Amino acid sequence: MDCRPRAECQRRPVVRKPGEQGFSLMLLTVSMFVIVGMLGLTFDVGRMFITKNELQTFADASALAGVSYLNGTQAGVTAANSVATAGPLGTTKPNGYDFDTIAITNVTTSYSTTF
């Protein structure tokens, strides 16, 4: 575009209506609130899944450690139960969750009475 007179080539200032000023700031504020909320939710859900996996690993490892003591006698069942409730690492190093910072102490066992 070739403009000969200088006055015609200059941009005109944007004229806004009184109700349109500040809309982008308001939109940015609402968007940041939503993004920070989603970030917090993601963090909490991630921690929940990590804790669930740690507790499931403890239950699986305790069951497998207890099975190794089963020999068909009452003493074997008692030993398997004590190992299953204490955890695979025993009482010398308590098993934990929350990245091994909280010891698992409240263990409840239940067994089937039939096959």
Side-chain angles (χ1 to χ4, degrees):
M1 179 169 130
D2 185 25
C3 293
R4 299 283 175 199
R6 226 45 164 138
E8 292 177 15
C9 289
Q10 292 179 354
R11 295 183 130 212
R12 291 186 216 157
V14 178
V15 179
R16 294 188 177 117
K17 296 177 186 172
E20 292 180 352
Q21 292 180 350
F23 178 72
S24 60
L25 180 64
M26 194 169 59
L27 185 64
L28 180 67
T29 303
V30 170
S31 299
M32 286 301 294
F33 181 73
V34 170
I35 289 172
V36 169
M38 291 178 77
L39 179 68
L41 182 66
T42 303
F43 183 77
D44 289 342
V45 169
R47 291 291 301 250
M48 181 184 68
F49 278 114
I50 289 171
T51 302
K52 178 193 152 292
N53 283 340
E54 288 175 340
L55 292 174
Q56 185 64 52
T57 301
F58 171 78
D60 293 342
S62 294
L64 289 174
V67 165
S68 66
Y69 286 90
L70 292 176
N71 58 7
T73 64
Q74 183 62 36
V77 171
T78 305
N81 186 42
S82 66
V83 167
T85 55
L89 300 177
T91 57
T92 57
K93 183 179 184 295
N95 299 280
Y97 64 98
D98 198 17
F99 299 110
D100 215 16
T101 58
I102 301 173
I104 298 173
T105 56
N106 189 9
V107 178
T108 304
T109 57
S110 62
Y111 302 101
S112 175
T113 57
T114 61
F115 285 112

